[in-house]
């Protein structure tokens, strides 16, 4: 089976799926990093491997929030049910409640050129400069490190629980997956309705469990079309299969084989009893 994307593929076509993919990468990074931090420390030049991993952990946790942001934008652009967006928002808030200082710690690391001078443009350093000199602000918001005794990462006054990182990441990824699944389910329902309408317009019977043409949705949310050969006389199978294939083409749909993705003999494959995936033709 060929898994290579078509030449006209773009991540902008399905940003909600890109959000899930990126979230899973960063969740795996969180898991791996925490495992290393809880294992033996290794000296890497002048540096502790745990301290190096602490920095990676902070960035990975913050990137999960970037994945949520992309998912939310995609959901709104798609006009998804507001309840789906609300569920994602609630999951994000639980993540922030568990790791309330993640944004500040990440900002201190990635904008060290400003924080080292007490010149953070937004947030706590900007607020602190209203009542203190930049030099004093820089000192108060510095000293990053991981403490194995308390299993915490600290930057100035901000602390993150390392033991809470993995379950928080897992829960947030689960919420992004649920939102992505909701999009897939809606897309599948719309495609199934389009397939059924195309068959009805072509006067092809497709009533579930009764007629010879079956339109089903798999657990993967893909739509599949097949013939119930037990309901079709041998001499009528080929004609019906061609009729079905023609109806799909007229509706802007195509049938593809999961076994032979480049096969063009879709009618023959239906006659052979294979379930074919229904897809919309590319624009």
């Amino acid at each position: 089976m060929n898994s290579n994307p078509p030449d006209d593929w773009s991540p902008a076509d399905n940003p909600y799926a890109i959000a899930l993919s990126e979230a899973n990468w960063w969740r795996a990074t969180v898991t791996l990093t925490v495992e290393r931090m809880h294992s033996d420390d290794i000296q890497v030049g002048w540096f502790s491997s745990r301290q190096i991993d602490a920095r990676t952990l902070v960035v990975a946790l913050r990137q999960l929030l970037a994945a949520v942001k992309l998912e939310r934008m995609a959901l709104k652009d798609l006009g998804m049910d507001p309840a789906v967006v609300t569920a994602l928002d609630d999951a994000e808030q639980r993540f922030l409640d568990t790791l309330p200082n993640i944004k500040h710690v990440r900002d201190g690391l990635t904008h060290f050129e400003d924080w080292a001078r007490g010149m953070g443009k937004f947030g706590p350093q900007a607020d602190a400069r209203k009542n203190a000199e930049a030099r004093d602000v820089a000192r108060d918001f510095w000293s990053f490190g991981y403490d194995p005794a308390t299993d915490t990462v600290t930057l100035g006054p901000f602390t993150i629980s390392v033991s809470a990182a993995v379950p928080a990441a897992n829960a947030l990824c689960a919420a992004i997956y649920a939102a992505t699944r909701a999009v897939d389910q809606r897309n599948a329902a719309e495609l199934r309705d389009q397939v059924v309408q195309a068959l009805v317009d072509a006067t092809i019977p497709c009533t579930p469990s009764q007629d010879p043409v079956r339109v089903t949705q798999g657990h993967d949310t893909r739509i599949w079309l097949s013939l119930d050969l037990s309901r079709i006389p041998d001499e009528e199978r080929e004609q019906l299969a061609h009729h079905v294939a023609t109806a799909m083409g007229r509706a802007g749909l195509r049938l593809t084989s999961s076994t032979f993705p480049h096969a063009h003999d879709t009618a023959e494959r239906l006659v052979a009893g294979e379930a074919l995936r229904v897809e919309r033709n590319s624009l």
Side-chain angles (χ1 to χ4, degrees):
M1 184 174 180
N2 186 4
S3 60
N4 294 327
D7 292 340
D8 63 348
W9 176 88
S10 170
D13 294 338
N14 296 295
Y16 73 97
I18 298 299
L20 177 60
S21 175
E22 287 298 312
N24 281 322
W25 276 107
W26 290 113
R27 175 178 61 171
T29 302
V30 169
T31 300
L32 177 62
T33 302
V34 170
E35 287 179 356
R36 290 195 307 226
M37 292 171 72
H38 288 166
S39 299
D40 293 338
D41 196 16
I42 300 171
Q43 203 67 19
V44 183
W46 294 102
F47 305 105
S48 154
S49 65
R50 287 174 176 168
Q51 301 302 328
I52 295 172
D53 282 330
R55 293 168 176 264
T56 302
L57 176 62
V58 169
V59 173
L61 289 170
R62 188 66 178 86
Q63 288 299 92
L64 284 169
L65 294 174
V68 172
K69 180 179 180 180
L70 176 59
E71 185 75 16
R72 182 184 296 109
M73 290 188 295
L75 294 176
K76 291 181 178 179
D77 288 344
L78 290 168
M80 289 297 294
D81 186 332
V84 178
V85 179
T86 298
L88 185 64
D89 290 343
D90 291 344
E92 180 184 40
Q93 188 58 55
R94 289 191 293 271
F95 180 88
L96 292 171
D97 289 344
T98 303
L99 304 166
N101 297 314
I102 185 60
K103 181 181 186 302
H104 298 322
V105 178
R106 194 296 303 261
D107 287 349
L109 284 179
T110 58
H111 298 293
F112 65 87
E113 74 281 9
D114 292 326
W115 280 53
R117 299 178 296 122
M119 298 301 294
K121 294 181 176 60
F122 307 101
Q125 280 204 340
D127 292 339
R129 282 200 308 276
K130 297 175 183 178
N131 301 304
E133 296 295 327
R135 180 177 181 277
D136 297 328
V137 171
R139 181 183 58 246
D140 293 341
F141 292 90
W142 201 246
S143 301
F144 176 88
Y146 168 60
D147 183 354
T150 59
D151 199 29
T152 56
V153 172
T154 300
L155 175 70
F158 305 119
T159 300
I160 296 172
S161 169
V162 173
S163 62
V166 172
N170 287 342
L172 191 57
C173 275
I176 296 173
Y177 171 79
T180 302
R181 183 77 174 178
V183 176
D184 287 340
Q185 291 283 10
R186 190 187 73 170
N187 290 344
E190 291 175 351
L191 178 58
R192 188 184 188 283
D193 289 346
Q194 185 179 354
V195 172
V196 170
Q197 187 61 52
L199 293 172
V200 170
D201 290 346
T203 65
I204 299 173
C206 58
T207 304
S209 305
Q210 297 178 17
D211 289 318
V213 179
R214 293 176 174 174
V215 182
T216 57
Q217 178 181 325
H219 294 298
D220 56 2
T221 70
R222 294 175 176 176
I223 301 302
W224 301 86
L225 189 150
S226 60
L227 301 183
D228 184 351
L229 299 178
S230 66
R231 297 178 180 274
I232 310 170
D234 292 351
E235 64 275 12
E236 297 179 11
R237 293 176 180 176
E238 184 174 351
Q239 181 181 1
L240 177 59
H242 281 288
H243 195 186
V244 168
T246 299
M248 293 299 101
R250 288 175 177 169
L253 304 171
R254 69 175 186 272
L255 300 174
T256 61
S257 167
S258 59
T259 306
F260 303 99
H262 298 295
H264 297 291
D265 55 340
T266 53
E268 288 80 354
R269 307 213 68 78
L270 287 172
V271 171
E274 184 176 347
L276 301 182
R277 179 183 175 183
V278 185
E279 299 175 310
R280 292 186 175 92
N281 287 320
S282 300
L283 296 178

